[in-house]
Amino acid sequence: MTKYVCAVCGYVYEPLDGDPDHGIAPNTPFEDVPDDWTCPLCGVGKENFEPEA
């Protein structure tokens, strides 16, 4: 699964870890994260994330 990076603050969404503190279970691909999810560090929307190179 591809990691995604926040273009604003650099937070890396790691699918194997998910974001349990915000309701995203481990092993959740970024594509399956709800559209209203926001970056846990800076609060920007999912549309500000890009696949890790």
Side-chain angles (χ1 to χ4, degrees), residues 20-41:
D21 292 341
H22 297 97
I24 310 299
N27 297 310
T28 300
F30 190 75
E31 295 79 11
D32 293 344
V33 172
D35 289 337
D36 63 351
W37 177 81
T38 58
C39 178
L41 295 185

Side-chain angles (χ1 to χ4, degrees), residues 1-8 10-15 29-31 37 45-53:
M1 286 186 273
T2 303
K3 297 178 185 180
Y4 278 73
V5 181
C6 177
V8 175
Y11 170 82
V12 177
Y13 175 78
E14 168 58 74
F30 190 75
E31 295 79 11
W37 177 81
K46 183 179 170 182
E47 68 276 1
N48 291 290
F49 279 72
E50 301 171 350
E52 185 176 61

